[in-house]
Amino acid sequence: ETGVTQSPTHLIKTRGQQVTLRCSSQSGHNTVSWYQQALGQGPQFIFQYYREEENGRGNFPPRFSGLQFPNYSSELNVNALELDDSALYLCASSSVGTMDTQYFGPGTRLTVL
Amino acid sequence: AQSVTQLDSQVPVFEEAPVELRCNYSSSVSVYLFWYVQYPNQGLQLLLKYLSGSTLVESINGFEAEFNKSQTSFHLRKPSVHISDTAEYFCAVILAGAGGGNKLTFGTGTQLKVEL
């Protein structure tokens, strides 16, 4: 059974640029959630996708957007990067349902200069 | 709004000593409770969870946590820690019956450092 994978591992961008992060969900999972973890903080919920539709969003501006594909993999896109976007971005997959465990990938470390 | 408070940012402890990592939450509705562990340069791994039933839940590696509704707490304990338990521990909640996805709300984390 393949776990959750994310790419790239690390990324360096400059302010104003755009970035795309990718996530492959665990086999059998149809829901993907994205979290932002700033240094020294707990992860914060960005949004969740279920069957290619956004299914909940946290307190993040519209320049954070996402996609889910038919194979349940997902992308997180961030436009007009700001310095405060520097963080570890975590993807988690699960089956639909509140009680289903979310399994996290290793994350993508984004640095904005 | 729900929130999660982890009262200790760092907990140093000697190997084979007991440890308790504290977690309190605030919510006006029922919650599901989780503890996740994060090793350096890795993602989060589920340690244990409380959904319903027995208020004492256990993990396979000796950790346990007790849901206390009256005190709105979900403290994590281990009677004897090992060097390999050194990691960041996050407490998290999901609102029961809430729409808009099963989002996890995390605390700020507790760094457990086990020393020889």
Side-chain angles (χ1 to χ4, degrees):
Chain A
E1 183 181 272
T2 306
V4 180
T5 60
Q6 293 185 243
S7 62
T9 306
H10 295 88
L11 204 53
I12 299 175
K13 293 285 189 177
T14 56
R15 272 187 306 175
Q17 286 189 310
Q18 177 266 340
V19 69
T20 297
L21 310 181
R22 294 177 176 82
C23 171
S24 291
S25 59
Q26 186 166 310
S27 176
H29 288 174
N30 54 18
T31 302
V32 174
S33 305
W34 285 93
Y35 293 83
Q36 179 196 65
Q37 185 180 14
L39 200 61
Q41 300 296 316
Q44 290 195 36
F45 178 74
I46 303 175
F47 44 55
Q48 183 180 86
Y49 279 82
Y50 168 61
R51 290 186 177 178
E52 303 177 57
E53 298 281 336
E54 189 178 285
N55 182 40
R57 188 179 182 93
N59 189 26
F60 280 81
R63 58 191 186 83
F64 285 79
S65 63
L67 283 173
Q68 187 181 31
F69 301 99
N71 65 355
Y72 304 125
S73 64
S74 177
E75 287 183 354
L76 164 65
N77 299 288
V78 187
N79 294 321
L81 284 167
E82 301 177 0
L83 296 179
D84 285 347
D85 296 334
S86 294
L88 180 68
Y89 288 85
L90 296 165
C91 164
S93 76
S94 60
S95 299
V96 66
T98 302
M99 295 185 289
D100 289 316
T101 299
Q102 294 184 38
Y103 293 88
F104 284 80
T108 293
R109 174 73 62 186
L110 172 65
T111 302
V112 182
L113 303 175
Chain B
Q2 68 198 88
S3 70
V4 179
T5 303
Q6 292 184 246
L7 298 168
D8 305 298
S9 59
Q10 293 186 37
V11 173
V13 62
F14 288 108
E15 193 174 33
E16 297 184 4
V19 70
E20 178 180 82
L21 307 184
R22 295 179 291 172
C23 173
N24 288 87
Y25 67 92
S26 64
S27 175
S28 58
V29 300
S30 297
V31 295
Y32 301 120
L33 295 156
F34 304 80
W35 275 99
Y36 279 84
V37 59
Q38 186 175 35
Y39 297 101
N41 301 313
Q42 293 188 27
L44 300 168
Q45 299 175 29
L46 179 69
L47 196 57
L48 45 75
K49 62 184 177 183
Y50 170 78
L51 303 179
S52 64
S54 172
T55 57
L56 183 66
V57 290
E58 299 176 352
S59 71
I60 58 173
N61 56 356
F63 283 95
E64 65 178 29
E66 185 160 20
F67 169 53
N68 187 321
K69 187 175 182 179
S70 63
Q71 305 212 353
T72 60
S73 68
F74 192 54
H75 300 331
L76 181 70
R77 302 183 184 93
K78 189 170 185 179
S80 176
V81 295
H82 188 266
I83 284 285
S84 60
D85 293 324
T86 295
E88 186 94 23
Y89 291 79
F90 291 95
C91 181
V93 304
I94 292 177
L95 290 183
N102 56 336
K103 71 169 189 176
L104 287 159
T105 298
F106 286 89
T108 52
T110 297
Q111 176 66 45
L112 175 62
K113 185 174 181 181
V114 181
E115 302 169 352
L116 292 172

